[in-house]
Amino acid sequence: MIRDLTISDFEIVESIVAKLHKIHVNNRPDFYIENEHPIKKKEYKAMLNSKDKINIAYLVDDKIVGVCLATIKDKIEKSIYIDDIFVLEEFRQQGIATKLYKQIESIAKNIGAKRIDLTVWQFNTTALKFYKSLGMKAQRIVLETRID
């Protein structure tokens, strides 16, 4: 079941976002620093109260096992930017992330958005494969040279 996040979900959402953040810290410590609480309760409340934010959860047996946090952008053309999409490891490969993405896609259509954007790191080959399976294509490529 998919539903909107509420303030009472903060602790589980914080732990899920921390797991995602840890993946980034482990793979790109040059961009991310260790942070036990990458989302603060004040920020979380602001997300829930923002008309430009989409905050949804996927539940199994009344337990949140996946979340999608997104932002509605309305500069040149309306779009949705997926900030975070994450499913707990023990619930992966069950179609949960696909259902969360499809919910965002439905919202995008309903509000007249023209596209869905997100950023994924090159090291995250599982996520890249997943997003490509949904029909997403590279919009731009950021290149780097490490100077050591």
Side-chain angles (χ1 to χ4, degrees), residues 106-118:
S106 176
I107 293 168
K109 289 176 184 174
N110 287 338
I111 66 170
K114 300 298 181 193
R115 65 179 195 280
I116 297 171
D117 300 324
L118 58 81

Side-chain angles (χ1 to χ4, degrees), residues 23-37:
I23 292 168
H24 290 99
V25 169
N26 289 343
N27 287 279
R28 287 306 303 249
D30 55 326
F31 272 85
Y32 296 90
I33 59 170
E34 197 71 45
N35 186 346
E36 189 178 341
H37 304 284

Side-chain angles (χ1 to χ4, degrees), residues 62-99:
D62 293 324
K63 177 187 175 194
I64 294 175
V65 301
V67 297
C68 183
L69 310 174
T71 304
I72 299 169
K73 305 284 187 171
D74 202 1
K75 297 283 183 193
I76 297 170
E77 96 179 350
K78 189 175 277 192
S79 64
I80 293 179
Y81 183 85
I82 296 177
D83 300 295
D84 296 314
I85 188 167
F86 191 79
V87 175
L88 295 174
E89 195 168 346
E90 60 270 27
F91 292 93
R92 293 184 186 157
Q93 301 298 313
Q94 298 178 30
I96 294 170
T98 299
K99 289 174 185 167

Side-chain angles (χ1 to χ4, degrees), residues 9-140:
D9 298 323
F10 173 72
E11 287 181 13
I12 185 67
V13 172
E14 179 190 37
S15 72
I16 288 171
V17 171
K19 289 178 191 314
L20 177 59
H21 183 74
K22 183 70 171 164
I23 292 168
H24 290 99
V25 169
N26 289 343
N27 287 279
R28 287 306 303 249
D30 55 326
F31 272 85
Y32 296 90
I33 59 170
E34 197 71 45
N35 186 346
E36 189 178 341
H37 304 284
I39 185 170
K40 308 294 184 254
K41 195 162 193 175
K42 183 178 180 180
E43 296 166 349
Y44 182 75
K45 283 181 184 178
M47 284 175 15
L48 295 181
N49 292 323
S50 174
K51 63 178 178 49
D52 297 328
K53 296 289 187 178
I54 302 164
N55 310 293
I56 57 176
Y58 191 93
L59 283 74
V60 172
D61 297 327
D62 293 324
K63 177 187 175 194
I64 294 175
V65 301
V67 297
C68 183
L69 310 174
T71 304
I72 299 169
K73 305 284 187 171
D74 202 1
K75 297 283 183 193
I76 297 170
E77 96 179 350
K78 189 175 277 192
S79 64
I80 293 179
Y81 183 85
I82 296 177
D83 300 295
D84 296 314
I85 188 167
F86 191 79
V87 175
L88 295 174
E89 195 168 346
E90 60 270 27
F91 292 93
R92 293 184 186 157
Q93 301 298 313
Q94 298 178 30
I96 294 170
T98 299
K99 289 174 185 167
L100 287 166
Y101 179 85
K102 293 295 184 184
Q103 182 69 19
I104 295 296
E105 194 173 57
S106 176
I107 293 168
K109 289 176 184 174
N110 287 338
I111 66 170
K114 300 298 181 193
R115 65 179 195 280
I116 297 171
D117 300 324
L118 58 81
T119 302
V120 61
W121 285 94
Q122 188 68 33
F123 69 78
N124 199 342
T125 56
T126 303
L128 280 165
K129 183 178 175 185
F130 167 68
Y131 294 127
K132 286 179 181 179
S133 78
L134 295 171
M136 297 191 89
K137 296 175 179 52
Q139 181 187 72
R140 69 192 92 154

